[in-house]
Amino acid sequence: MRIKRICDSVNVFGRIETDRLDEEDVDETIDYHLSNEIRDKCRELVLDNDKLRKIMEIFLDNVHRGLKRETHADSIVKCFPTYVQDLPNGTETGKFLALDLGGTNFRVLLIELSGEHFEMKSKIFAIPQHIMLGSGEQLFDHIAECLAIFVKEEQVADQRLPLGFTFSFPLAQKGLTKGILERWTKGFNCSNVVGNDVVQMLNEAIDRRGDVQIQVCAILNDTTGTLMSCAWKNHNTRIGLIVGTGSNACYVERQENAEMWDDVDMGSGKVSINLEWGAFGDDGALDFVRCEYDEDVDKNSINPGKQKHEKMISGMYMGELVRLALERFTKEGLLFGGKGSDMLFERGRFYTKYVSEIESDPPGVFNNLREICEELGLKHASEQDYINIRYICECISRRSAHLVSAGLATLLNKIGEKKVTIGIDGSVYRFHPHFHNLMMEKIKELCDPSIEFDLMLSEDGSGRGAALVAAVAARLYNQNSRT
Ligand code: GLC
């Protein structure tokens, strides 16, 4: 009977009925079941709308600083112009190669576009850790080698195909085919790349081999690829978002507002801006909502002091944030009868996918959680522990979804169009069972009520998007050389 009551209450708390998830509901319901201490100690993880609105205000100010020539150099949110001036219009055709570097894997793709049709072949290659942390030359030699293997397998090695390079790190772009790496983020830290043009480094690596011919037509961020791949299907798309290993967004801005943009206008009057919002808060602006787990994750990362916003949101850090809370509560005697396990206390051992799995269990059912506890040497976990752990996961994932929503609502208000589609990719958005609903609900609360928006899962933004950017560049070039 007691279990049944717990099930009912968790049902209200469960994400499936997200429209009932406002804070009063949660507090009222879980009072009976969630331990009071855990609820109190998790309060710092709950961002109410006042805090989110404050974040929106600071974020908007950061965006303005990034866009303006006068303040750009010292700005935290970089707002790099991408030199992508137009969205696909469906007339793009041809065969394209694409490279996708920036998440956990590296991919090479061959894409054929014709009207509404799209065919794609791709191959995933691992990037070993020693290369992620090795020299730039090694990294680009590895990329060129993978590309060579692929074009030979696909029997296109003798053609000089246009290539779009999705390179998902902060790039100060100097044109569509020139990008200077500002810094590494996520798990990468190769020497001698920061400050250099990565397109040139790729071309040099290809020349060193001498067995492949390509023409790099565009270098782009994964957010831009996501924007493009959604825009190809839905012409209202104005924002591209990634919530995966890292987190970032881009949006379509008017050229006159993008003061750092200095190219020839190809006629659209627009330019896509790569915000690099992961860095938001690196000057302390988010300290009023950061807590000890955020500090810990940051201190123990390969880039301390950097990407503080991203570290509160993305998949590379979410599991570890949960683990740190579990570790603390165990040591305080609030979980597992005070008895943890070696694995629970091991950094990085609580994977982000666990958060999605735990929250995928139907309300009141703890099958996945039970298995995860067993995997982590926590067989002694009780039903009460399960309820508490699920709540902790929900607080961390909800905080992530709410921070993302605050950023998006700011952009929707700034863009000011009445109907906007947001293209999204990334493992957290894809696999977390309630992320989408949480975002829908929160953006609605935060943005101008007259704006209609929808969230669209991008189909392989990084791959398809790269081909599309290359294709649009080719189309614009041809159009302009004809006129
Ligand atoms: C990191 C990168 C950014 C990328 C994001 C998502 O924040 O700096 O360029 O878009 O991860 O992959």
Side-chain angles (χ1 to χ4, degrees):
M1 201 50 211
R2 171 147 169 74
I3 305 256
K4 175 75 178 83
R5 283 217 326 273
I6 289 171
C7 296
D8 288 346
S9 74
V10 178
N11 196 22
V12 173
F13 184 47
R15 297 290 186 66
I16 301 201
E17 300 168 65
T18 43
D19 52 346
R20 300 177 64 184
L21 263 178
D22 53 74
E23 241 180 277
E24 277 104 33
D25 270 357
V26 171
D27 281 350
E28 228 176 64
T29 325
I30 56 184
D31 254 353
Y32 305 109
H33 308 290
L34 175 71
S35 89
N36 282 336
E37 290 106 312
I38 297 280
R39 188 199 51 220
D40 287 347
K41 287 177 191 250
C42 285
R43 275 200 203 285
E44 60 182 342
L45 295 167
V46 177
L47 302 180
D48 60 28
N49 284 358
D50 285 346
K51 285 196 185 122
L52 290 172
R53 291 210 172 88
K54 176 101 191 115
I55 291 172
M56 287 172 69
E57 210 178 283
I58 309 172
F59 178 60
L60 181 62
D61 184 55
N62 270 255
V63 173
H64 285 140
R65 293 176 60 80
L67 288 173
K68 292 211 174 338
R69 191 166 282 279
E70 247 194 323
T71 42
H72 174 84
D74 298 324
S75 69
I76 302 289
V77 175
K78 278 297 173 196
C79 299
F80 291 124
T82 62
Y83 293 82
V84 170
Q85 293 188 43
D86 208 353
L87 302 176
N89 64 11
T91 64
E92 295 79 13
T93 54
K95 265 191 188 170
F96 300 87
L97 285 167
L99 300 179
D100 174 18
L101 179 77
T104 28
N105 288 311
F106 165 63
R107 284 185 317 156
V108 188
L109 305 96
L110 176 64
I111 291 155
E112 194 160 357
L113 295 173
S114 62
E116 296 291 293
H117 290 285
F118 174 94
E119 257 180 60
M120 181 173 103
K121 288 189 180 152
S122 71
K123 186 162 180 162
I124 294 182
F125 296 88
I127 303 252
Q129 181 116 21
H130 74 269
I131 291 191
M132 284 165 89
L133 303 174
S135 76
E137 204 173 287
Q138 266 176 318
L139 173 70
F140 284 96
D141 280 343
H142 180 68
I143 293 175
E145 187 185 349
C146 298
L147 176 64
I149 294 173
F150 182 79
V151 291
K152 283 175 198 162
E153 276 176 11
E154 294 301 327
Q155 298 172 345
V156 290
D158 55 336
Q159 302 175 32
R160 190 160 182 264
L161 294 180
L163 178 143
F165 184 11
T166 305
F167 183 81
S168 305
F169 300 96
L171 271 190
Q173 288 203 228
K174 304 288 172 202
L176 202 50
T177 56
K178 186 168 181 179
I180 311 291
L181 180 66
E182 197 214 27
R183 68 186 196 209
W184 287 110
T185 52
K186 300 175 280 194
F188 283 74
N189 201 6
C190 304
S191 56
N192 300 326
V193 189
V194 172
N196 290 323
D197 174 11
V198 293
V199 174
Q200 193 185 336
M201 292 189 79
L202 173 66
N203 280 328
E204 285 169 1
I206 288 170
D207 289 348
R208 273 196 293 278
R209 297 184 59 85
D211 59 348
V212 192
Q213 346 167 26
I214 51 151
Q215 181 201 0
V216 181
C217 274
I219 182 153
L220 59 141
N221 190 256
D222 50 357
T223 54
T224 313
T226 299
L227 173 78
M228 295 297 266
S229 83
C230 286
W232 192 54
K233 285 208 173 143
N234 182 326
H235 298 301
N236 293 326
T237 312
R238 296 290 178 271
I239 298 176
L241 169 74
I242 301 286
V243 196
T245 307
S247 178
N248 187 17
C250 72
Y251 75 104
V252 178
E253 180 57 277
R254 286 197 295 277
Q255 282 175 11
E256 69 258 29
N257 292 339
E259 292 184 8
M260 297 305 292
W261 185 81
D262 54 7
D263 203 3
V264 182
D265 180 6
M266 296 285 217
S268 72
K270 301 279 169 63
V271 61
S272 156
I273 298 290
N274 169 15
L275 288 156
E276 285 297 330
W277 82 10
F280 179 38
D282 288 3
D283 56 352
L286 286 174
D287 286 358
F288 75 107
V289 289
R290 290 174 75 243
C291 58
E292 63 174 87
Y293 320 117
D294 301 305
E295 271 300 308
D296 193 310
V297 158
D298 181 46
K299 263 203 214 110
N300 289 288
S301 64
I302 63 168
N303 53 352
K306 303 280 188 239
Q307 303 294 105
K308 291 189 180 170
H309 188 229
E310 175 165 87
K311 286 172 182 165
M312 297 174 85
I313 294 172
S314 76
M316 185 155 173
Y317 312 97
M318 189 184 281
E320 180 62 7
L321 289 171
V322 171
R323 192 196 67 78
L324 287 164
L326 297 182
E327 177 171 355
R328 171 183 161 195
F329 297 148
T330 306
K331 290 188 171 155
E332 290 176 356
L334 301 173
L335 284 176
F336 312 118
K339 185 174 168 298
S341 70
D342 288 350
M343 276 177 277
L344 180 68
F345 296 152
E346 186 186 321
R347 213 163 266 289
R349 188 60 186 75
F350 194 98
Y351 308 130
T352 296
K353 69 168 185 185
Y354 290 167
V355 179
S356 292
E357 286 168 6
I358 290 168
E359 295 188 45
S360 293
D361 263 337
V365 176
F366 300 108
N367 292 339
N368 291 339
L369 181 45
R370 188 172 296 113
E371 255 176 48
I372 290 164
C373 283
E374 280 174 19
E375 225 173 282
L376 294 174
L378 298 161
K379 273 202 166 135
H380 54 290
S382 67
E383 193 87 17
Q384 180 66 58
D385 289 327
Y386 294 152
I387 294 170
N388 291 341
I389 297 168
R390 180 167 178 144
Y391 181 69
I392 295 162
C393 289
E394 296 208 354
C395 285
I396 301 269
S397 60
R398 198 187 310 181
R399 186 181 70 155
S400 157
H402 288 173
L403 281 169
V404 168
S405 305
L408 294 176
T410 312
L411 296 177
L412 287 171
N413 291 347
K414 180 166 196 327
I415 293 168
E417 290 181 28
K418 287 298 160 217
K419 214 164 179 242
V420 170
T421 296
I422 301 171
I424 314 182
D425 207 345
S427 48
V428 173
Y429 178 78
R430 259 176 203 276
F431 301 124
H432 188 282
H434 310 296
F435 216 82
H436 172 90
N437 288 350
L438 285 166
M439 284 174 61
M440 285 300 291
E441 183 184 19
K442 192 50 77 178
I443 299 171
K444 241 180 245 160
E445 284 171 28
L446 297 174
C447 83
D448 177 337
S450 68
I451 298 173
E452 244 182 80
F453 67 92
D454 60 67
L455 308 180
M456 176 178 168
L457 180 68
S458 142
E459 280 174 60
D460 192 12
S462 302
R464 180 184 300 223
L468 285 166
V469 173
V472 171
R475 168 168 63 77
L476 288 181
Y477 178 80
N478 290 336
Q479 263 171 18
N480 281 278
S481 53
R482 252 182 266 126
T483 51

